[in-house]
Amino acid sequence: MRIAIVGGTGAFGLALAKRAIAAGDTVVIGSRDAERAATAAAELGAEGATNEDAVRAADLVVLATKADGALETARALRGAIGATPVLCVASELRFAKEGVFPTDEATSIAERLAAEVDAPVVAGLHSLAAATLGGDEPPEEDVLVCGDDPDAKALALELAGKVADGRALDAGPLAGARALEGLTAVIVNLNKRYRAHVGIRVTGIR
Ligand SMILES: NC(=O)c1ccc[n+]([C@@H]2O[C@H](COP(=O)([O-])OP(=O)(O)OC[C@H]3O[C@@H](n4cnc5c(N)ncnc54)[C@H](OP(=O)(O)O)[C@@H]3O)[C@@H](O)[C@H]2O)c1
């Protein structure tokens, strides 16, 4: 699979790239700056390109920019992405002294993103922390993916199954992205409270 990681110079994109390359996939690291992409990619043995060039000819686009920039980035890449499936990993979080809160938005960032592109959008991988994903071994965690387009979801599940040591699980329609994104706030609060790197294990599935 040829995977374009938009905003791939960040901690999450680099960790995902490392795992995907180890699993035999071809990765293009995308950035707003071609030189930054090339430098980051060279360390991984990946290709580097501007976000726009990266998404062309990809089988799957992973939108891994800082969450604040995800919608604007998708809007700008609409033409270049075309019909290529997009995996949104973003969670909007609000940091306050009482803890980390999910966004006040009524819909998930993934659902809003789906309105910005012509491609099918799926959401997932939110519970994989960059720190564990980029470690020496694939994290022993399950990975949740939701989406409405079966083919796009199958691609995202294929990637999810390669980058973690747990199961890649189909978590239903894209409307569930609201819960997955909100779960990120819960995970960050757990990490802070217990000084941990929390992951997800779903029980009861045979
Ligand atoms: N960090 C985690 O553990 C984790 C876990 C699961 C999911 N996620 C999600 O993964 C995404 C990336 O996380 P991260 O920690 O890697 O984020 P990050 O380091 O803050 O940002 C990733 C990249 O986004 C690009 N970027 C920053 N601001 C932008 C803007 N306004 N418009 C377009 N691009 C912009 C930058 O790349 P260039 O400057 O090179 O363009 C940056 O390297 C987020 O949406 C996050 O919610 C993160």
Side-chain angles (χ1 to χ4, degrees):
M1 190 183 337
R2 185 175 171 89
I3 303 159
I5 306 182
V6 174
T9 54
F12 186 80
L14 292 174
L16 182 66
K18 174 181 170 179
R19 289 266 94 86
I21 290 166
D25 286 323
T26 301
V27 173
V28 189
I29 299 286
S31 167
R32 292 169 293 181
D33 182 283
E35 206 173 306
R36 195 154 53 239
T39 304
E43 289 176 23
L44 292 168
E47 295 173 40
T50 60
N51 287 327
E52 186 161 1
D53 286 342
V55 300
R56 296 187 197 280
D59 298 308
L60 177 68
V61 172
V62 181
L63 197 65
T65 64
K66 190 173 175 175
D68 290 353
L71 293 180
E72 190 187 328
T73 301
R75 200 174 301 135
L77 296 178
R78 183 176 198 143
I81 291 173
T84 305
V86 177
L87 168 62
C88 178
V89 299
S91 300
E92 291 167 307
L93 301 175
R94 183 167 59 81
F95 291 82
K97 70 173 182 338
E98 297 85 0
V100 181
F101 291 77
T103 177
D104 293 332
E105 296 282 349
T107 55
S108 67
I109 192 165
E111 289 167 287
R112 281 175 279 139
L113 199 147
E116 301 290 351
V117 293
D118 301 312
V121 172
V122 295
L125 282 58
H126 308 80
S127 56
L128 290 175
T132 45
L133 187 59
D136 292 340
E137 300 293 333
E140 293 181 0
E141 301 172 30
D142 293 334
V143 189
L144 304 177
V145 174
C146 60
D148 298 330
D149 183 284
D151 294 339
K153 187 152 57 173
L155 271 182
L157 284 166
E158 185 185 331
L159 174 63
K162 289 177 188 170
V163 300
D165 207 13
R167 296 158 300 178
L169 298 173
D170 178 349
L174 190 64
R178 254 168 287 182
L180 296 188
E181 293 174 17
L183 183 61
T184 305
V186 175
I187 288 173
V188 176
N189 285 316
L190 287 167
N191 286 343
K192 283 173 174 262
R193 170 67 180 80
Y194 297 101
R195 296 177 188 276
H197 291 295
V198 167
I200 297 294
R201 274 284 194 195
V202 175
T203 61
I205 299 176
R206 288 172 189 272

